[in-house]
């Protein structure tokens, strides 16, 4: 769990020495002030990023700020509840946000590229790979990619939830070696520092279990959508891919420079040695589930203890109208989540073959795609080394 001494852990300097590509997420609370976009913060971060690029480190930005920038431009003091109003504010604010970055990076001789994305763009494996190739091309041209959720067109079904979640997905997408999540506080505290004077900064998180999640305040800031809980979940997601993450204060001068020098800044989430591969990480965290499959005790044991694929014989229920290739949640008979995986059959066909043996699939359907409803290679257990992934997925 939480805070530990660093004597037995890999020193930060040694960890940072191996980072050649990193994702930096900047929140609305960092980027905006009373008068709109905070040019001092943007210029400070830009100088740090340009210095890192000169050292051969590739930086990918995930930047909030479009909606809050739009609020300042339109004179609104409170974030609206209406989806259409928030989308309109994003449309108003996004050009100003990108212009601010473009001007700041031009001053140190670098160019930027805007990438607006929805979760639906990453749900499809081909589009996911296309997005990754686009980023790699931009990096080869020494252009800084700047991601933001495409708030103007996003609806609940295709939203990432917040840019903390997006930053974790972009880290995996781009095969980066570090996620830096810049907030308006110094990191994760054992209590809410806004209301507790004795709150202590958690320097290192080895495994983000329920105890660490309990430290977080779920209340977001006045401008952003994600609280500390979403930053912890983002850190946990990338750590499961074997990637370290750091939550730090983006308003401090030279913050990125200090992080990459290995200074004990913010809260470090240690990478997990038993990491998920990129494909399984994509299945577990990037894809949105389209339905549910309920399995009996025998199937649950085969999945969890035996490392087996899901066969039709162990299925006792199907919920939803998903199609081949969709992601679904696997539940046991007590409705507890067991796994998430990609199906080889439509929901309607699974209802016809559930409970039968694999050798009887063709007789019931008139065709047979596979022996398994979900192959083990396309399945990720919810209970991954004792930690519930269902609490981390959005």
């Amino acid at each position: 769990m939480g805070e530990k001494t660093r004597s037995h852990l890999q020193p930060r300097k040694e960890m940072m020495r191996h980072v050649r590509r990193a994702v930096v997420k900047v929140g609305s609370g960092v980027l905006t002030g009373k008068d709109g976009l905070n040019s001092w913060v943007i210029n400070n971060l830009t100088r740090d990023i340009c210095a890192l690029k000169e050292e051969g480190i590739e930086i990918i930005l995930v930047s909030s700020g479009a909606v809050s920038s739009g609020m300042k431009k339109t004179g609104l003091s409170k974030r609206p509840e209406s989806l259409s109003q928030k989308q309109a504010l994003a449309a108003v604010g996004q050009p100003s946000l990108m212009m601010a970055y473009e001007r700041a990076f031009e001053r140190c001789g670098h160019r930027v590229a805007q990438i607006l994305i929805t979760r639906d763009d990453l749900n499809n494996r081909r589009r996911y790979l296309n997005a990754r190739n686009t980023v790699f091309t931009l990096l080869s041209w020494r252009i800084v990619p700047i991601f933001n959720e495409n708030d103007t067109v996003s609806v609940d079904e295709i939203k990432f939830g917040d840019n903390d979640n997006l930053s974790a997905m972009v880290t995996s997408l781009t095969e980066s070696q570090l996620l830096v999540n810049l907030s308006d506080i110094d990191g994760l505290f054992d209590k809410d520092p806004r209301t507790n004077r004795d709150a202590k900064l958690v320097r290192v998180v080895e495994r983000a279990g329920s105890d660490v999640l309990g430290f977080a305040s779920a209340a977001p800031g006045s401008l952003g959508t994600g609280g500390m809980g979403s930053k912890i979940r983002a850190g946990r997601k990338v750590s499961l891919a074997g990637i370290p993450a750091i939550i730090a204060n983006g308003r401090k001068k030279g913050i990125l420079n200090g992080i990459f020098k290995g200074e004990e800044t913010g809260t470090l989430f240690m990478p997990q040695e038993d990491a998920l591969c990129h494909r399984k990480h994509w299945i577990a965290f990037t894809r949105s589930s389209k339905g549910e499959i309920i399995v009996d005790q025998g199937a649950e044991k085969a999945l969890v203890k035996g490392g087996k694929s899901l066969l039709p014989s162990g299925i006792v229920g199907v919920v939803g109208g998903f199609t081949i290739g969709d992601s679904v949640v696997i539940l046991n008979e007590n409705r507890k989540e067991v796994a998430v995986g990609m199906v080889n059959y439509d929901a309607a066909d699974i209802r016809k073959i559930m409970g039968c043996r694999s050798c009887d699939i063709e007789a019931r359907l008139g065709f047979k795609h596979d022996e398994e409803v979900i192959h083990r290679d396309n399945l990720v257990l919810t209970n991954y080394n004792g930690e519930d992934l269902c609490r981390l997925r959005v």
Side-chain angles (χ1 to χ4, degrees), residues 160-191:
F160 291 101
D162 53 61
N163 273 354
D164 295 319
N165 189 39
L166 172 59
S167 69
M169 295 182 181
V170 170
T171 302
S172 179
L173 169 78
T174 58
E175 299 180 9
S176 295
Q177 291 105 34
L178 175 69
L179 168 61
V180 178
N181 198 327
L182 296 179
S183 180
D184 54 359
I185 61 174
D186 291 339
L188 171 65
F189 287 80
D190 61 353
K191 301 175 184 177

Side-chain angles (χ1 to χ4, degrees), residues 290-359:
K290 303 297 185 181
E292 299 171 347
I293 291 177
I294 304 167
V295 299
D296 61 22
Q297 290 183 357
E300 180 183 6
K301 183 178 180 181
L303 296 176
V304 177
K305 302 294 184 182
K308 303 296 184 180
S309 300
L310 177 61
L311 303 178
S313 58
I315 298 174
V316 296
V318 179
V319 179
F322 50 85
T323 59
I324 297 174
D326 282 342
S327 284
V328 300
V329 175
I330 301 171
L331 306 174
N332 65 17
E333 292 179 291
N334 295 321
R335 304 290 295 180
K336 180 180 179 181
E337 188 170 329
V338 175
V340 59
M342 293 168 54
V343 292
N344 292 329
Y345 292 91
D346 295 342
D349 291 334
I350 296 175
R351 290 187 179 97
K352 295 176 182 178
I353 62 175
M354 66 182 190
C356 80
R357 296 177 301 172
S358 296
C359 60

Side-chain angles (χ1 to χ4, degrees), residues 147-214:
F147 278 84
N148 197 357
E149 181 158 13
N150 194 350
D151 292 306
T152 304
V153 301
S154 285
V155 293
D156 288 342
E157 290 79 6
I158 58 173
K159 285 183 71 65
F160 291 101
D162 53 61
N163 273 354
D164 295 319
N165 189 39
L166 172 59
S167 69
M169 295 182 181
V170 170
T171 302
S172 179
L173 169 78
T174 58
E175 299 180 9
S176 295
Q177 291 105 34
L178 175 69
L179 168 61
V180 178
N181 198 327
L182 296 179
S183 180
D184 54 359
I185 61 174
D186 291 339
L188 171 65
F189 287 80
D190 61 353
K191 301 175 184 177
D192 189 337
R194 296 170 295 184
T195 56
N196 296 275
R197 291 185 178 182
D198 61 341
K200 295 180 181 179
L201 180 66
V202 178
R203 293 290 183 182
V204 180
V205 175
E206 286 197 84
R207 291 186 95 82
S210 57
D211 51 350
V212 177
L213 284 166

Side-chain angles (χ1 to χ4, degrees), residues 60-271:
I60 298 153
L61 268 175
V62 175
S63 179
S64 302
V67 173
S68 53
S69 175
M71 286 171 59
K72 299 299 181 182
K73 289 177 71 175
T74 56
L76 293 178
S77 59
K78 183 179 179 181
R79 193 180 184 93
E81 297 294 330
S82 164
L83 176 62
S84 60
Q85 287 181 322
K86 285 187 283 189
Q87 290 177 326
L89 287 175
V92 172
Q94 187 66 28
S96 298
L97 179 65
M98 285 305 302
M99 186 177 294
Y101 277 123
E102 191 163 35
R103 288 173 175 172
F105 277 98
E106 276 182 350
R107 282 193 282 271
C108 57
H110 290 279
R111 295 168 293 166
V112 299
Q114 173 180 259
I115 303 178
L116 296 178
I117 199 166
T118 68
R119 187 165 187 157
D120 203 39
D121 295 317
L122 302 186
N123 262 333
N124 181 281
R125 187 67 177 172
R126 179 177 294 178
R127 288 159 68 182
Y128 178 92
L129 295 174
N130 285 343
R132 185 173 68 169
N133 291 336
T134 298
V135 174
F136 290 164
T137 300
L138 291 170
L139 292 174
S140 72
W141 292 346
R142 293 182 55 78
I143 294 173
V144 178
I146 302 179
F147 278 84
N148 197 357
E149 181 158 13
N150 194 350
D151 292 306
T152 304
V153 301
S154 285
V155 293
D156 288 342
E157 290 79 6
I158 58 173
K159 285 183 71 65
F160 291 101
D162 53 61
N163 273 354
D164 295 319
N165 189 39
L166 172 59
S167 69
M169 295 182 181
V170 170
T171 302
S172 179
L173 169 78
T174 58
E175 299 180 9
S176 295
Q177 291 105 34
L178 175 69
L179 168 61
V180 178
N181 198 327
L182 296 179
S183 180
D184 54 359
I185 61 174
D186 291 339
L188 171 65
F189 287 80
D190 61 353
K191 301 175 184 177
D192 189 337
R194 296 170 295 184
T195 56
N196 296 275
R197 291 185 178 182
D198 61 341
K200 295 180 181 179
L201 180 66
V202 178
R203 293 290 183 182
V204 180
V205 175
E206 286 197 84
R207 291 186 95 82
S210 57
D211 51 350
V212 177
L213 284 166
F215 292 159
S217 169
S222 59
L223 293 174
T225 57
M228 184 54 69
S230 68
K231 292 171 177 57
I232 294 173
R233 285 187 286 272
R236 177 61 174 152
K237 287 174 185 177
V238 299
S239 74
L240 282 170
I243 302 166
I246 294 174
I247 301 174
N249 193 332
R251 290 183 175 271
K252 286 187 174 180
K253 185 176 181 180
I255 185 66
L256 289 179
N257 183 48
I259 287 172
F260 280 84
K261 283 183 177 179
E263 294 177 4
E264 299 285 328
T265 300
T267 300
L268 169 65
F269 287 75
M270 295 295 292

